[in-house]
Amino acid sequence: MSFKLTASRAPARYAKSSLRAPYITKSHDLGKRWSSACTWLTQTPETINPEDILSSIPTTHHQSNSNPVPLLLVTPSLAHWLDPTSPFLTEYIKKLYQNTNNKPDTIYAVAAVIDKIPNSTAKSQASLEEFEGLSSLIVGEANIKWKAAPPRRIGGPADEEPNFVVSVNDQSSAHAIGLRLANTVFINGKERTFLGMRWVASESGYILADSKSLASCVVTSTETNIHSTVALPLHPVTQRRKVITGMGNILRQLAKSNDGSSDEPMPASTELEKELPRYIDEHNIVDRRVSVWALVEKADNQVDSQSPSTQDRLTKSLRQGGKLHRVMSGGGGWGKKMGLLSLDPEIASPTTITQDQGIISLDQLFESDSAPDEPMETPPFFESGLIGEDLSHLSQVANPGDLIQFFVAVEPTASNGLTNEAARKYCFGVVSETEALEIPTNDVKEKLQLVENTFAAMSEKAIFYSQPVLQAGTAVESSTKLDIPGCRVILESGKP
């Protein structure tokens, strides 16, 4: 028996406003406290204009940094604001520096188009809503590195994903979140809009002197007492079992026993082929298409079998180095291919790009040409080793002796992990596939909402989360790819 493992994505729909101009509200009042991060949320982007954003920028948005560099993330409905011919960027830079006595001669900035922005303020069903809008973070020039986009390789992949990474560090640990950007082909003809910019001082303010497309950007922000909240809308459909055999990203055999009493093998898809149709029938899933994820853990991961919360179980596993992989295909087949499962092999750490050749400081990018003179190498995808039955070039997703359990995606539920409104927050997630709740026409969501001290973004594709874990008494970095619709990672500073 075979089963379908597919995922569809439907854009969320929101009630439209009858307002002609937005009413700006603040999520909380920080007084004169410096706000390095600001987010503007709207569900009616057609009713706002650049002045609505510019007039509500806090006067202290940049004053804590020497040589501040603004990062701007906008959703597709506002992507035209990033066009050099649009007055928004010029007025935004001018606004940031209008109260500064010692204006630098050169200013750098980063701008990108993202898919959505999550609600980071509500602790109810409203926290699931996904907005249009803009999010801004100000960092010092020394805290950002970038890499120019290379020319398209002949015969190379049609879509080479850029890397946007935010690393949040405190005194003892570092967390990093990598974000896949929005596809803007139907907006401006570019697969991704990801720009590094240089502005020079003039009598009237600042003038855009140069702009380059980026391949990578790594931003580092220093905080105190980081607290992380991870929301993973998953439900278990199989038992936790030992991996017996596999190669690369292909699982071949799992243990029949789920208590470790025996290593007698069975085809990897056996239990999933039985339990997945049962789950679909019990929950009346009409189109019978579901997405499945595998949680891969080391044998020494500690699991509380009495815990009633799948969320707590998953969070604890990730903090011990567990990794989630989408099941790409599997089930059915015969002979050597009977019962195989193929897992998404992508687990790269979002911070590994900091070691890439070409990651440089801001001023270095504009001192030299971004395009290398030497010809690009043949893409690894076209090397003979990755075609056919040879899997030796793929990294090992699950080793013999590891433990694995399968989950299906469920509708996300409201998060209540945030308690301190004054704390700085970094909120990232994956766009949900479910439709948004109907919103009353007099609801605050109809208005432009300013959320101070928050930097936030969502991707329709995936985010990557890296966090410190202890292995054999040593702190190491553990990363996982998160592409579960509705998942969230929130880093909050200032927690005791």
Side-chain angles (χ1 to χ4, degrees):
M1 175 181 179
S2 62
F3 50 90
K4 293 182 179 179
L5 295 170
T6 59
S8 60
R9 183 171 303 283
R13 293 199 302 233
Y14 303 100
K16 295 297 182 181
S17 170
S18 59
L19 297 177
R20 298 304 300 169
Y23 176 79
I24 300 175
T25 62
K26 290 188 177 182
S27 62
H28 49 271
D29 186 4
L30 298 178
K32 295 184 179 180
R33 175 177 175 172
W34 174 68
S35 180
S36 70
C38 288
T39 295
W40 289 263
L41 306 175
T42 180
Q43 291 184 0
T44 57
E46 69 279 2
T47 67
I48 68 171
N49 58 61
E51 183 56 32
D52 297 319
I53 301 292
L54 296 170
S55 63
S56 59
I57 296 176
T59 57
T60 56
H61 189 34
H62 75 283
Q63 295 177 3
S64 181
N65 269 314
S66 59
N67 298 327
V69 177
L71 287 82
L72 288 174
L73 304 180
V74 305
T75 54
S77 62
L78 303 180
H80 59 284
W81 289 8
L82 302 184
D83 190 292
T85 61
S86 168
F88 174 73
L89 285 175
T90 301
E91 292 301 318
Y92 176 80
I93 296 295
K94 180 180 178 181
K95 178 77 173 180
L96 289 182
Y97 288 89
Q98 66 179 5
N99 296 322
T100 302
N101 294 325
N102 298 319
K103 295 181 174 63
D105 294 332
T106 301
I107 295 172
Y108 299 99
V110 175
V113 178
I114 58 174
D115 288 301
K116 291 286 185 178
I117 300 177
N119 187 344
S120 62
T121 61
K123 302 176 186 177
S124 63
Q125 198 70 13
S127 67
L128 304 178
E129 291 169 358
E130 299 158 359
F131 289 81
E132 298 282 341
L134 180 151
S135 193
S136 173
L137 178 68
I138 308 293
V139 297
E141 186 175 317
N143 291 355
I144 183 169
K145 304 287 185 183
W146 52 16
K147 179 180 180 180
R152 178 64 58 78
R153 296 189 285 190
I154 298 176
D159 186 10
E160 295 178 330
E161 293 284 357
N163 295 297
F164 177 73
V165 178
V166 178
S167 178
V168 184
N169 307 335
D170 64 12
Q171 303 92 328
S172 59
S173 63
H175 299 251
I177 302 174
L179 180 76
R180 288 279 164 83
L181 302 177
N183 188 318
T184 57
V185 165
F186 296 107
I187 298 174
N188 55 21
K190 299 179 181 179
E191 288 177 338
R192 303 289 181 267
T193 300
F194 191 19
L195 302 173
M197 295 171 283
R198 180 169 62 92
W199 300 74
V200 295
S202 68
E203 292 183 0
S204 60
Y206 285 91
I207 298 174
L208 180 61
D210 202 355
S211 175
K212 294 181 183 292
S213 294
L214 298 179
S216 301
C217 181
V218 183
V219 180
T220 302
S221 183
T222 302
E223 303 290 350
T224 57
N225 301 322
I226 299 171
H227 172 78
S228 64
T229 300
V230 181
L232 303 169
L234 294 173
H235 178 78
V237 290
T238 69
Q239 300 295 315
R240 192 172 183 237
R241 297 180 185 277
K242 182 186 293 187
V243 175
I244 303 300
T245 61
M247 180 177 289
N249 68 323
I250 305 297
L251 288 178
R252 186 175 295 277
Q253 294 176 320
L254 304 180
K256 283 186 177 181
S257 169
N258 61 11
D259 59 7
S261 60
S262 170
D263 285 348
E264 182 183 356
M266 67 178 181
S269 67
T270 298
E271 185 181 17
L272 198 56
E273 287 180 323
K274 176 183 177 182
E275 296 300 329
L276 194 58
R278 178 184 300 175
Y279 177 88
I280 291 172
D281 290 338
E282 288 179 354
H283 292 81
N284 298 316
I285 300 175
V286 177
D287 63 8
R288 305 187 73 82
R289 294 182 299 173
V290 296
S291 295
V292 178
W293 279 262
L295 175 66
V296 179
E297 306 170 282
K298 296 301 180 183
D300 57 357
N301 272 26
Q302 302 297 315
V303 175
D304 182 4
S305 59
Q306 303 301 316
S307 175
S309 171
T310 299
Q311 178 62 52
D312 291 345
R313 152 92 170 88
L314 290 168
T315 300
K316 185 175 181 179
S317 175
L318 295 188
R319 287 175 177 167
Q320 296 182 65
K323 301 181 186 302
L324 286 164
H325 302 264
R326 184 191 286 261
V327 180
M328 307 299 290
S329 62
W334 55 87
K336 291 183 178 181
K337 294 184 178 181
M338 184 179 67
L340 300 184
L341 291 177
S342 172
L343 307 185
D344 183 355
E346 188 174 23
I347 57 173
S349 163
T351 59
T352 56
I353 67 168
T354 59
Q355 282 78 47
D356 281 355
Q357 184 179 5
I359 291 287
I360 55 178
S361 62
L362 305 187
D363 55 346
Q364 290 174 316
L365 178 66
F366 291 99
E367 288 178 356
S368 59
D369 293 334
S370 61
D373 294 328
E374 64 272 12
M376 303 299 291
E377 296 179 356
T378 302
F381 179 83
F382 291 98
E383 294 176 359
S384 60
L386 292 185
I387 299 177
E389 296 288 337
D390 186 2
L391 303 176
S392 61
H393 288 72
L394 297 176
S395 60
Q396 192 71 15
V397 169
N399 293 296
D402 287 350
L403 299 172
I404 194 166
Q405 186 175 11
F406 296 99
F407 297 77
V408 293
V410 295
E411 290 190 12
T413 57
S415 170
N416 58 1
L418 301 180
T419 58
N420 186 356
E421 286 189 343
R424 188 172 294 116
K425 303 177 185 70
Y426 302 81
C427 309
F428 293 82
V430 176
V431 174
S432 174
E433 292 181 346
T434 58
E435 294 187 355
L437 300 174
E438 289 297 319
I439 304 167
T441 55
N442 61 348
D443 194 274
V444 69
K445 311 304 182 305
E446 296 285 350
K447 307 159 188 176
L448 181 63
Q449 184 182 11
L450 168 61
V451 185
E452 294 189 49
N453 244 20
T454 295
F455 187 57
M458 303 187 77
S459 172
E460 287 190 353
K461 286 192 171 183
I463 61 175
F464 297 80
Y465 178 44
S466 172
Q467 61 182 323
V469 301
L470 284 177
Q471 291 184 359
T474 303
V476 298
E477 177 189 284
S478 179
S479 303
T480 191
K481 177 181 178 180
L482 300 176
D483 55 356
I484 308 155
C487 71
R488 300 281 193 277
V489 174
I490 302 174
L491 303 178
E492 185 176 358
S493 70
K495 299 284 288 189

